[in-house]
Amino acid sequence: MDSAAIEALVSQRVADALANYETNKNTGFRNGDENGNGGGCNSNVNNGGGHRACTYKDFMNCKPKSFYGNEGVVGLTRWIEKMESVFEISFCDENHKVRFAACTFADAALTWWNNHAKTLGISNANAMSWSGLKQLLIDEYCPRDEMQKLEHELWNLTMKDAEIVAYTTRFNDLATLCPSFVTPEIRR
């Protein structure tokens, strides 16, 4: 390619980018997100129809929930569910999940993670799989006696009066926390 061809290509790309910017500005979209997500979580849609790798900024734009380490089994379960949702909508690669999730640790959980990372080395800690981190968190923050209480509650759960919604909600919460009691489906 000669310099005139390169200059023409650059001019065309700049013109396309400016037109895209004006279109998105007028429709309320940002960063070229044709889905209207305003450049937040889903701003990583590229012009080729695929997805570029999730950046830390993309991840944080999804407003992941912090984990403090004092939420108990229910809080940990909800944090894990929220993280998995954020990973999905931000198109987070498997090799970034632990690193990004660890950035949401605060207070006691952050101290626990820092000690764990010192023991393994930060590179090795960040290289673990998401399922490996989930298991470490469950081992640390789901004490067996609390799990037994939840299993006992699920086993003895009864509906009071006509409170079907409250019963169903609690059953679903407990089923999520005690999957062995409801898996396979026939046990449910």
Side-chain angles (χ1 to χ4, degrees), residues 112-133:
W112 168 81
W113 175 251
N114 287 338
N115 288 332
H116 183 72
K118 282 179 193 172
T119 303
L120 288 179
I122 191 68
S123 297
N124 291 333
N126 285 331
M128 84 171 57
S129 68
W130 170 241
S131 59
L133 178 60

Side-chain angles (χ1 to χ4, degrees), residues 41 54-64 86 100 103-104:
C41 297
C54 172
T55 65
Y56 181 68
K57 183 178 180 192
D58 295 331
F59 176 77
M60 292 307 291
N61 280 343
C62 294
K63 298 182 180 20
V86 169
F100 290 172
C103 290
T104 67

Side-chain angles (χ1 to χ4, degrees), residues 65 67 71-85 130 134 137-138 141-142 146-147 150 172-179:
K65 188 176 177 180
F67 181 69
E71 295 92 335
V73 176
V74 174
L76 175 62
T77 302
R78 290 193 174 136
W79 178 83
I80 289 171
E81 289 173 347
K82 177 67 174 177
M83 281 293 105
E84 290 176 342
S85 173
W130 170 241
K134 287 192 302 186
L137 288 164
I138 289 166
Y141 293 105
C142 297
E146 188 173 347
M147 289 302 297
L150 293 170
N172 289 331
D173 285 345
L174 291 169
T176 300
L177 297 169
C178 308

Side-chain angles (χ1 to χ4, degrees), residues 78-96:
R78 290 193 174 136
W79 178 83
I80 289 171
E81 289 173 347
K82 177 67 174 177
M83 281 293 105
E84 290 176 342
S85 173
V86 169
F87 292 150
E88 182 67 27
I89 61 177
S90 66
F91 303 105
C92 190
D93 293 331
E94 185 66 37
N95 59 344
H96 290 111

Side-chain angles (χ1 to χ4, degrees), residues 11-22:
S11 294
Q12 182 60 43
R13 295 260 173 126
V14 168
D16 290 346
L18 287 172
N20 190 23
Y21 171 79
E22 287 299 319

